[in-house]
Amino acid sequence: MRYNWDWSVLVQAPYVDWLFSGLLLTLVISAIGWVIALALGSVIGVARTTDFRVARALGMVYVEVFRNVPLLVQLFLWYFVLPELVPAAAGHWLKRDMPEPELVTAIVGLGLYTACRVAEQVRSGIQSIGRGQALAGLASGLTLWQVYRYILLPRAFRIIVPALTNEFLNIFKNSSLALTIGVLELTSRARQVSEATYHSVEAFAAASLLYALITFIVTLIMRRIEAGVRIVGTIGPGIG
């Protein structure tokens, strides 16, 4: 069986518009999901390094639960199961009245899942600094909050830039799972083009190229940032 190649479908309307609208939605999902993940993950990561047992325990439970349940299952739980568990009025709002329920669910689901991974990166970054600097800050009269704000977190985030870059790339690629709950992101649009034109290879090759292009651009940007914030003796070629 011979395949009938036709790359021109990728520049024809409406297929090219479908792909770029899917790419735009993928970027929106990834960006907002990343904001949620970074904010929540930072809080949980800090909680896991404090001397407060309850905070450490809650942080550990969150991380263990969210990182051990597959992301696809989590999206299904948020989208299909949660509305059935809450009161009827709230469930109806989640399913029908909430603006763009599929999109909101995908963003929140991705953000909550990635937050557990960011939390572990933040925790490891703080713990890599050691207790000496924290104790010195407390001895100089700083509060615990000030020690984290002015000493530990600035150094920790500079150390974990490569790890955070990897997590952002993961959330960008994981956004493709949003198609399973009806979000018309890039992968879903590629499938739509495939079904409309019967040119599956071309459609998914274009989607793959767009994914690769965005990740390449993000990697280049983050390498420049990493080089600018590098702490000599901790990461990168500046060791020594």
Side-chain angles (χ1 to χ4, degrees):
M1 179 178 178
R2 298 181 59 186
Y3 184 78
N4 183 25
W5 297 90
D6 185 7
W7 295 96
S8 65
V9 298
L10 299 177
V11 295
Q12 296 176 8
Y15 311 127
V16 64
D17 297 327
W18 291 355
L19 288 174
F20 279 102
S21 66
L23 175 62
L24 178 60
L25 197 55
T26 292
L27 293 174
V28 169
I29 294 171
S30 303
I32 302 178
W34 177 246
V35 171
I36 295 173
L38 186 60
L40 180 59
S42 298
V43 172
I44 297 172
V46 168
R48 296 203 65 193
T49 63
T50 65
D51 293 328
F52 301 104
R53 293 184 178 180
V54 174
R56 292 203 311 271
L58 291 175
M60 182 186 68
V61 169
Y62 183 94
V63 169
E64 294 303 323
V65 169
F66 276 84
R67 76 176 177 181
N68 289 308
V69 177
L71 175 57
L72 182 59
V73 175
Q74 292 186 35
L75 290 178
F76 284 169
L77 289 174
W78 293 126
Y79 188 67
F80 295 111
V81 178
L82 180 62
E84 305 302 326
L85 298 179
V86 298
H92 185 273
W93 183 82
L94 287 172
K95 292 186 291 186
R96 300 292 179 84
D97 296 335
M98 181 174 67
E100 302 289 344
E102 299 88 356
L103 180 60
V104 172
T105 300
I107 291 173
V108 173
L110 276 169
L112 295 179
Y113 171 77
T114 309
C116 75
R117 301 175 61 87
V118 172
E120 287 297 273
Q121 305 297 348
V122 172
R123 179 182 67 85
S124 64
I126 293 173
Q127 291 179 339
S128 70
I129 299 172
R131 294 181 58 85
Q133 293 189 38
L135 294 175
L138 293 173
S140 66
L142 297 178
T143 64
L144 182 61
W145 161 246
Q146 289 173 328
V147 167
Y148 273 99
R149 180 180 178 184
Y150 296 115
I151 300 176
L152 298 180
L153 287 177
R155 286 182 60 87
F157 276 109
R158 291 170 70 182
I159 293 171
I160 64 173
V161 166
L164 292 181
T165 301
N166 187 59
E167 295 305 331
F168 178 79
L169 296 180
N170 281 336
I171 202 173
F172 175 68
K173 292 179 285 188
N174 286 338
S175 66
S176 62
L177 292 178
L179 70 87
T180 59
I181 57 174
V183 180
L184 294 177
E185 44 70 62
L186 181 56
T187 302
S188 180
R189 287 296 193 179
R191 186 172 66 176
Q192 191 177 21
V193 172
S194 170
E195 293 172 350
T197 64
Y198 300 102
H199 289 282
S200 302
V201 176
E202 292 88 338
F204 285 103
S208 300
L209 181 62
L210 290 173
Y211 278 115
L213 179 62
I214 297 299
T215 55
F216 179 72
I217 293 173
V218 170
T219 301
L220 287 180
I221 293 173
M222 294 308 296
R223 282 181 178 174
R224 296 295 298 272
I225 294 175
E226 178 187 343
V229 302
R230 178 182 296 122
I231 300 175
V232 176
T234 55
I235 58 174
I239 291 177

